[in-house]
Amino acid sequence: MESPRGTAIRPNQEIAATGSELVPCPICGSEKTRLFRTDVTDLEYFVDPLRDLLIQKCGECESQFLNPRPTESELPRFYPSDYHAYNENHSRVARMLVEARARSRARFYGRLIEDRPGSIFDVGTGDCRHFDELRRFIDLECAGVEIQSEIAAKGRARGYEILEGTLEAADLTDHVGKYHVVSMNHVLEHVIEPRTMLERAHDLLRPGGHLIGQLPTVTSWESRLFGRNWGGYHYPRHLQIPSRSGLANLLKDLGFQTVRVRSAPHIQTTISLQNTLVRWGWRPRMQYGKTPIYSGLLVAALPYETVAWLCDKGGIVDFKAQKSRS
Ligand SMILES: [Zn+2]
């Protein structure tokens, strides 16, 4: 359902028109929420969610989330077979950035495990080639969970213990209290029950262990600048996009200590720029959600991304939190 541009959205009427009820905030639980956007579409893969999923905003923590909440059975159709996370076909510029990220992650994880042998559980492992990368630099025992069964099999073929499914539903009997680090990069925004997922991550950690992750945040210049074309919506695949304070308070609420949320060096603005062009009607052939000029847009976005990162106002944040030592 499209709302006429330039007219004020009248939440009650819009909600009534779709038959949806306002739902509580999946980040802070508040019922003080309102309809925020009705005009978001998938400008990367053109997936049709088959029913109107609106974007609601929390009046307490300002996180944004889909309403009605998608169900488990709806999610697979949101991820087409050429979804970028399943493909490693990066451009040369992107490959350089991926390599630089692997090195910087290894240094960071090394500090977390205090440069001793350590263990990590990754949520959404993919094919585990990042484990191979990390182990080039640090002594790390690696395990995790992956939702796509063929991709989980690739991880197991590399020799890692990879559970199949979601962290929320997985049998964690052999894993509870075992890990120095639990990582979740670009996962929390994709799951139906983010709170349950973080609770289970807490269970996996040893006392004093670290939870780390990365995700988009609505508390950013980029979100304001690009509005409905913002890459962080990744509509309809991002079921919630927390505010920075909403995320930090949720982690504290679950018993995590020394919670830190900070802008991450990232290139999401490339997608926001691309979305804007596609919204204007440009329709080139796209592959893996990317137009042929993606690399050019990336180079154009880098100066902005650098400034936003230095000012701590970027559209992607890293979070870090520690389980109590006692
Ligand atoms: Zn909230």
Side-chain angles (χ1 to χ4, degrees):
M1 184 188 60
E2 283 284 318
S3 176
R5 289 182 75 177
T7 58
I9 293 169
R10 286 161 296 179
N12 295 338
Q13 281 186 4
E14 298 275 6
I15 289 283
T18 61
S20 313
E21 298 283 337
L22 287 170
V23 293
C25 173
I27 300 298
C28 76
S30 171
E31 295 192 359
K32 213 179 105 191
T33 63
R34 66 183 174 90
L35 182 71
F36 186 60
R37 291 191 192 283
T38 57
D39 55 357
V40 188
T41 44
D42 183 359
L43 300 167
E44 292 169 73
Y45 299 93
F46 305 96
V47 161
D48 176 3
L50 296 183
R51 58 178 178 145
D52 290 317
L53 301 173
L54 313 176
I55 292 183
Q56 213 179 297
K57 183 171 179 173
C58 177
E60 294 280 350
C61 78
E62 301 199 322
S63 298
Q64 296 180 30
F65 48 95
L66 293 187
N67 168 29
R69 302 296 291 164
T71 61
E72 205 75 53
S73 62
E74 280 177 294
L75 295 186
R77 68 165 284 112
F78 296 177
Y79 297 87
S81 57
D82 69 335
Y83 188 57
H84 65 86
Y86 306 151
N87 296 284
E88 296 293 330
N89 198 351
H90 295 299
S91 70
R92 200 147 54 94
V93 184
R95 248 196 334 266
M96 276 164 50
L97 294 171
V98 166
E99 172 67 22
R101 189 175 64 188
R103 285 171 185 278
S104 106
R105 275 198 182 149
R107 278 196 298 273
F108 175 51
Y109 292 3
R111 285 197 300 276
L112 291 180
I113 61 172
E114 295 166 358
D115 293 317
R116 290 196 289 257
S119 56
I120 186 170
F121 187 100
D122 187 35
V123 185
T125 58
D127 64 8
C128 295
R129 71 179 69 183
H130 63 306
F131 285 166
D132 289 351
E133 282 293 313
L134 282 171
R135 285 158 57 91
R136 277 169 48 201
F137 305 103
I138 50 176
D139 187 352
L140 202 59
E141 191 190 317
C142 304
V145 61
E146 165 59 42
I147 197 165
Q148 301 280 337
S149 58
E150 318 89 86
I151 295 174
K154 286 186 189 173
R156 283 194 291 268
R158 288 174 192 265
Y160 301 111
E161 189 181 350
I162 308 301
L163 305 175
E164 228 171 271
T166 64
L167 180 62
E168 302 87 287
D171 176 5
L172 301 179
T173 316
D174 297 334
H175 298 270
V176 167
K178 199 175 150 186
Y179 295 93
H180 293 96
V181 178
V182 171
S183 59
M184 47 177 74
N185 292 309
H186 300 272
V187 177
L188 193 78
E189 65 275 36
H190 292 265
V191 306
I192 293 170
E193 298 284 352
R195 188 185 176 92
T196 308
M197 184 181 172
L198 290 173
E199 277 169 358
R200 301 208 88 195
H202 190 268
D203 293 344
L204 288 169
L205 287 168
R206 299 172 173 226
H210 298 275
L211 172 71
I212 54 172
Q214 192 174 87
L215 81 182
T217 182
V218 294
T219 319
S220 59
W221 289 342
E222 197 192 332
S223 144
R224 287 170 185 267
L225 203 59
F226 288 94
R228 63 188 181 148
N229 298 332
W230 180 44
Y233 284 125
H234 202 39
Y235 179 88
R237 287 163 293 272
H238 287 178
L239 313 189
Q240 54 272 324
I241 309 151
S243 65
R244 290 175 62 142
S245 61
L247 174 64
N249 289 335
L250 172 56
L251 290 165
K252 287 177 200 160
D253 200 31
L254 293 172
F256 284 104
Q257 301 177 336
T258 52
V259 174
R260 287 193 54 189
V261 181
R262 210 203 173 281
S263 285
H266 207 271
I267 54 165
Q268 180 180 256
T269 302
T270 315
I271 293 291
S272 298
L273 286 170
Q274 178 181 283
N275 283 351
T276 305
L277 297 175
V278 174
R279 171 85 71 180
W280 287 344
W282 187 45
R283 289 284 184 281
R285 212 173 87 79
M286 291 172 73
Q287 199 181 20
Y288 310 126
K290 296 181 174 72
T291 58
I293 63 161
Y294 180 85
S295 292
L297 293 174
L298 193 160
V299 171
L302 276 178
Y304 166 80
E305 286 283 16
T306 307
V307 173
W309 171 55
L310 291 172
C311 296
D312 200 17
K313 300 288 184 191
I316 299 281
V317 284
D318 281 317
F319 62 92
K320 178 168 169 286
Q322 192 170 15
K323 184 170 177 168
S324 160
R325 288 185 187 275
S326 50

